[in-house]
Amino acid sequence: MNIDNPQSHGHLIAPHGGELVDLTLDEGNAADLKARSKDFPSWDLTSRQIRDLELLLSGGFSPLRGFHESR
């Protein structure tokens, strides 16, 4: 996203860090990843974790691109 382009959503506030991170996949890549991930481990997520994941994927937590594992 170019925050200096006044033609593209110039009325919106620039995202934190200057970049809106969108981690969603297009339909073709999503289907491919789903097929390859059938043997990946899985976890049951709490509703809070699901909401955090949705915000991370949609750019709501920009400029973050993932979760940091606490030790």
Side-chain angles (χ1 to χ4, degrees):
M1 174 183 207
N2 183 353
I3 62 173
D4 297 324
N5 183 353
Q7 295 176 333
S8 176
H9 308 296
H11 62 287
L12 299 177
I13 298 171
H16 183 73
E19 177 186 8
L20 181 62
V21 177
D22 180 1
L23 301 175
T24 57
L25 296 174
D26 61 58
E27 202 171 304
N29 287 331
D32 180 54
L33 182 58
K34 184 175 181 179
R36 290 186 296 125
S37 67
K38 65 179 178 146
D39 294 323
F40 288 4
S42 65
W43 295 270
D44 292 325
L45 301 177
T46 66
S47 61
R48 169 67 190 264
Q49 291 168 323
I50 291 170
R51 288 191 307 269
D52 285 349
L53 183 59
E54 289 171 341
L55 283 167
L56 182 65
L57 293 172
S58 68
F61 286 152
S62 288
L64 299 179
R65 296 179 177 275
F67 293 107
H68 176 70
E69 182 180 331
S70 58
R71 298 180 189 246

